[in-house]
Amino acid sequence: MGGLESRRRYSDERVAQIRKCLRPARSIVGNHACIYATGSFGRGEAGSNSDLDLFIAGRNARGKSKERKLTNLKEIQLKATLIDMCGELSFPAFSGDGEYLAHYSIHNLTDTLGKPNDDSTNTFTARLLLLLESRCLLGDKVYAEAKRKVILEYWRDYLDHTGSFSPAFLCNDILRLWRTFCVNYEARTKRDPPDQKAKGKIKNYKLKHSRLLTCYSAVLFLLVRLKQNRTVSPEDAFEMSELSPTLRLQRILDDPQQQDVHASIQRLLVCYERFLDVTNDTNAELVKMFMDPEQSRERMRQASEFGEAMFEALRSAGKDSPLYRLLVV
């Protein structure tokens, strides 16, 4: 597991640098908000070519669900600090000219759940990535509070079913996120000229590894916990959210009661190590690789192998599980 361990160490080192650089922002944020990273830093597998994807989540003013404690001027100051930090630490500029560097209140993240504006306001993505692949950079208490409140929204019926609660609500949203990733890929990928087609194949390769793992490692973790305890508590979900996707796999692998799933988990980790090795190249090197038909076919074969291993793990963990049936039909 050399490649993964190396990525974890690098991620930890860079996160320590980011936290140090953001110390002046503590006075701006106070106890009103948090900043969390998603993407490769959220998954704990960043490399030297990784960019930084950030979200801001904040508390609401007491008794005022639409008023955020972090004021507009403070938010502007905070974003300016984040932009300066990226320059100081040699990160690429925020994508979309900063369009996705958004501030959501915790109320935004919970109140939009299941509503038509959940997608258009991007709260759907911000909420799911908070649970599935995030790492706090500033404001630990607010970060934990945000996760717990989001989880309780998904567990709203738990008290009536404490001995047999199945997290279908959350799992359905996780599957929706995965399918949104897939639809976005198909809709936004260019097929020509050749270099653009190669870039599309790279996105597909990453989609079928890191994005798939983000979503289905969480589903797998919840399936295993339900199989063990015949219920899944909010604390189980919080535990899942505190683990990176690869650490969820490792947690299952370390459990002697999950022997049926171990072979698939080991296969997943080996395949993912290979993926991290391939994607350690620069974008230019990756484009060149995927423009070669033979290499491209081999990489996509590897992506299929990873998906098959995940399917086998889910099938083994979900055998005779009502949740697994709900995931399929």
Side-chain angles (χ1 to χ4, degrees), residues 110-121:
T110 57
D111 186 61
T112 53
L113 202 162
K115 294 182 179 178
N117 62 338
D118 200 14
D119 289 291
S120 61
T121 57

Side-chain angles (χ1 to χ4, degrees), residues 30 42 61 64 79 84 86 91 97 110 112 121 129 142 177 199 225 235 251 262 274 312:
K64 298 179 180 179
K79 288 182 177 180
D84 290 343
C86 280
F91 284 110
D97 199 27
T110 57
T112 53
T121 57
L129 293 184
V142 179
L177 180 68
K199 289 178 181 178
R225 194 53 56 92
E235 286 304 315
R251 180 66 57 86
H262 284 182
R274 182 176 59 198
E312 286 302 321

Side-chain angles (χ1 to χ4, degrees), residues 119-174:
D119 289 291
S120 61
T121 57
N122 208 39
T123 48
F124 172 60
T125 301
R127 180 178 64 250
L128 266 293
L129 293 184
L130 172 69
L131 297 185
L132 301 182
E133 61 162 43
S134 70
R135 183 164 184 175
C136 185
L137 302 177
L138 188 66
D140 292 345
K141 288 184 179 179
V142 179
Y143 173 73
E145 178 185 327
K147 289 209 290 190
R148 290 189 182 280
K149 287 189 173 181
V150 166
I151 287 168
L152 287 177
E153 279 299 304
Y154 284 110
W155 263 251
R156 58 180 65 167
D157 295 328
Y158 177 70
L159 291 179
D160 294 329
H161 307 278
T162 55
S164 60
F165 185 83
S166 180
F169 191 3
L170 174 59
C171 286
N172 280 329
D173 248 4
I174 293 172

Side-chain angles (χ1 to χ4, degrees), residues 8-255:
R8 286 172 180 164
R9 284 194 300 272
Y10 179 82
S11 297
D12 289 345
E13 290 167 4
R14 289 293 265 171
V15 165
Q17 293 172 355
I18 293 168
R19 283 179 171 268
K20 183 178 180 180
C21 207
L22 289 180
R23 283 176 185 169
R26 291 176 183 173
S27 60
I28 301 172
V29 169
N31 65 348
H32 300 333
C34 68
I35 301 166
Y36 61 93
T38 62
S40 57
F41 278 95
R43 295 189 299 271
E45 57 193 47
S48 57
N49 298 309
S50 297
D51 55 8
L52 191 59
D53 300 311
L54 302 180
F55 288 93
I56 303 167
R59 287 173 168 155
N60 299 88
R62 187 178 296 276
K64 298 179 180 179
S65 63
K66 294 184 179 180
E67 186 176 321
R68 300 177 304 195
K69 280 193 171 184
L70 187 69
T71 66
N72 189 52
L73 288 177
K74 291 288 188 182
E75 180 184 332
I76 292 170
Q77 286 182 289
L78 179 58
K79 288 182 177 180
T81 302
L82 292 173
I83 292 166
D84 290 343
M85 177 270 294
C86 280
E88 184 176 336
L89 297 181
S90 301
F91 284 110
F94 291 115
S95 59
D97 199 27
E99 177 185 359
Y100 304 108
L101 183 58
H103 173 200
Y104 301 99
S105 71
I106 297 174
H107 177 77
N108 291 150
L109 297 178
T110 57
D111 186 61
T112 53
L113 202 162
K115 294 182 179 178
N117 62 338
D118 200 14
D119 289 291
S120 61
T121 57
N122 208 39
T123 48
F124 172 60
T125 301
R127 180 178 64 250
L128 266 293
L129 293 184
L130 172 69
L131 297 185
L132 301 182
E133 61 162 43
S134 70
R135 183 164 184 175
C136 185
L137 302 177
L138 188 66
D140 292 345
K141 288 184 179 179
V142 179
Y143 173 73
E145 178 185 327
K147 289 209 290 190
R148 290 189 182 280
K149 287 189 173 181
V150 166
I151 287 168
L152 287 177
E153 279 299 304
Y154 284 110
W155 263 251
R156 58 180 65 167
D157 295 328
Y158 177 70
L159 291 179
D160 294 329
H161 307 278
T162 55
S164 60
F165 185 83
S166 180
F169 191 3
L170 174 59
C171 286
N172 280 329
D173 248 4
I174 293 172
L175 295 185
R176 183 160 70 102
L177 180 68
W178 164 245
R179 285 160 186 157
T180 299
F181 287 149
C182 294
V183 169
N184 288 346
Y185 164 77
E186 293 292 349
R188 299 174 185 176
T189 301
K190 297 178 180 179
R191 268 64 180 181
D192 61 292
D195 65 323
Q196 291 297 320
K197 185 176 182 179
K199 289 178 181 178
K201 290 180 178 179
I202 295 167
K203 289 181 181 178
N204 194 354
Y205 183 65
K206 292 180 177 181
L207 172 75
K208 291 177 177 177
H209 281 91
S210 56
R211 289 302 198 188
L212 186 148
L213 183 63
T214 286
C215 295
Y216 284 99
S217 65
V219 173
L220 183 60
F221 184 95
L222 296 171
L223 274 170
V224 166
R225 194 53 56 92
L226 182 61
K227 181 180 177 181
Q228 282 179 322
N229 302 332
R230 298 184 181 181
T231 190
V232 182
S233 70
E235 286 304 315
D236 292 326
F238 188 80
E239 180 186 348
M240 179 274 294
S241 75
E242 290 286 276
L243 296 169
S244 69
T246 53
L247 287 178
R248 287 175 205 140
L249 298 185
Q250 192 63 51
R251 180 66 57 86
I252 298 168
L253 190 60
D254 291 341
D255 184 350

